Amino acid sequence: MTATARTESTAEVTIADAEGPESVTSSELLTIHSARALAARRVVFAGHGLPTLAVSLAQHTVAPEIEIVYESGVTGARPPALPRSISDSILVPGAASVMPMTHLFAYVLQGQRIDVGFLGAAQVDRYGSLNSTLIGSDWDHPDSRLPGSGGAIEVMAGAAEVFLVMRRHTPRTFVETLDFVTSPSPHQAKSAEAGTPPAGAGVTHVITDLGVMTRSEPDEELTLTSIHPGVDAAEVVARTGWDLKVSEALTTTEPPSREELRLLREELDPSRIYLR
């Protein structure tokens, strides 16, 4: 299966094989690549939105034994259907346990029992610090006021690593300086010379509509390591608010398979709760 076309505005691609052409939306592309990144991971803290869908897809494909943890206090979730939120009652049947949020944050997150924290954000900088609080320079009168941290700062602090999924790769979302630091990266926490730095590696994978960026060391910048079919590395650099590094071993991601698309469209999210 190969990618044959991509629309500039939405990162929608068309794949083609013996069965003919198939259009893939940006949300489907992001979800599939996010799920694939969870192969060989065990315990995942799933944030709201595409992370919830991606973890469900991973449970049906590359990581059938994955244990899903939700901020609402549910651990080891195996819901019979896709939850509509991180507090959906459908998460309870079949779960390993349900505990108060205070216990979840104190013993699971702070106890460093999470392999991957899967989050979204409004802005990210070159070291993986996140903003999910506001857009604009004026706290009292911001351009946009966002939901805030939720559990994002605790996930950054306690998870072994953080995966970030971003629907749009633009200079407004990938910025040199965050409008507000909701979740400081290990690099930023170290630079502050106060408090306790994150226990883990911080953001190690960023999956966007253009490709995948990765980093591993606390003071290492995000580097473009993979691009989606039909995307040019120069386009990704141009849409990033800093001088993005490009790996010398840059690869092209494998297009979605027919089976991955079938699972998303027919079994996991047929009403397109998240695949908007």
Side-chain angles (χ1 to χ4, degrees), residues 1 14 40 50 64 66 68 78 80 82 89 92 107 123 129 141 192 196 200-201 206 226 241 252 268:
M1 186 176 290
T14 300
L50 288 184
I66 205 166
I68 308 175
R78 288 192 171 275
L82 185 69
S89 61
V92 176
Y107 301 126
Q123 292 180 328
S129 289
H141 302 92
T196 303
V206 181
S226 298
T252 299
L268 295 179

Side-chain angles (χ1 to χ4, degrees), residues 8 43 53 61 73 84 107-108 149 152 160 175 185 194 199 240 243 258:
E8 192 69 24
V43 184
L53 182 58
T61 54
R84 291 179 174 269
Y107 301 126
V108 180
S149 172
V175 297
S185 65
T240 305
D243 187 13
R258 296 276 178 176

Side-chain angles (χ1 to χ4, degrees), residues 60-104:
H60 283 75
T61 54
V62 298
E65 300 303 317
I66 205 166
E67 296 183 26
I68 308 175
V69 177
Y70 289 93
E71 184 179 343
S72 53
V74 180
T75 66
R78 288 192 171 275
L82 185 69
R84 291 179 174 269
S85 73
I86 59 174
S87 58
D88 194 328
S89 61
I90 202 173
L91 293 172
V92 176
S97 68
V98 180
M99 63 183 73
M101 289 178 63
T102 52
H103 289 53
L104 178 75

Side-chain angles (χ1 to χ4, degrees), residues 32-267:
I32 289 168
H33 287 295
S34 297
R36 290 174 179 176
L38 291 171
R41 268 62 177 194
R42 180 66 179 181
V43 184
V44 178
F45 187 104
H48 181 66
L50 288 184
T52 291
L53 182 58
V55 174
S56 295
L57 179 61
Q59 205 170 43
H60 283 75
T61 54
V62 298
E65 300 303 317
I66 205 166
E67 296 183 26
I68 308 175
V69 177
Y70 289 93
E71 184 179 343
S72 53
V74 180
T75 66
R78 288 192 171 275
L82 185 69
R84 291 179 174 269
S85 73
I86 59 174
S87 58
D88 194 328
S89 61
I90 202 173
L91 293 172
V92 176
S97 68
V98 180
M99 63 183 73
M101 289 178 63
T102 52
H103 289 53
L104 178 75
F105 280 80
Y107 301 126
V108 180
L109 270 173
Q110 293 182 26
Q112 300 175 32
R113 292 177 169 86
I114 299 295
D115 296 329
V116 176
F118 218 136
L119 301 174
Q123 292 180 328
V124 57
D125 71 10
R126 68 175 71 211
Y127 294 106
S129 289
L130 308 179
N131 172 23
S132 55
T133 300
L134 61 82
I135 300 298
S137 58
D138 187 341
W139 172 264
D140 293 320
H141 302 92
D143 297 338
S144 298
R145 194 172 293 281
L146 307 171
S149 172
I153 189 168
E154 286 84 1
V155 172
M156 180 73 83
E161 58 182 325
V162 174
F163 289 2
L164 182 69
V165 58
M166 302 284 282
R167 287 183 180 269
R168 293 289 180 266
H169 192 135
T170 74
R172 296 185 62 188
T173 54
F174 290 81
V175 297
E176 180 70 44
T177 303
L178 299 178
D179 290 349
F180 185 93
V181 180
T182 307
S183 306
S185 65
H187 174 83
Q188 184 152 7
K190 177 182 175 181
S191 301
E193 299 181 351
T196 303
V203 174
T204 60
H205 291 67
V206 181
I207 301 101
T208 83
D209 56 337
L210 299 181
V212 180
M213 294 179 286
T214 61
R215 54 173 294 282
S216 56
E217 299 300 324
D219 295 323
E220 183 181 1
E221 296 181 19
L222 288 164
T223 298
L224 181 66
T225 50
S226 298
I227 51 176
H228 297 320
V231 176
D232 186 270
E235 178 187 358
V236 186
V237 173
R239 293 199 188 188
T240 305
W242 67 84
D243 187 13
L244 177 65
K245 296 179 179 180
V246 179
S247 172
E248 294 181 359
L250 183 69
T251 62
T252 299
T253 59
E254 186 69 22
S257 69
R258 296 276 178 176
E259 177 59 14
E260 288 169 323
L261 291 171
R262 186 195 67 79
L263 282 168
L264 280 181
R265 296 169 177 175
E266 299 178 17
E267 294 191 22

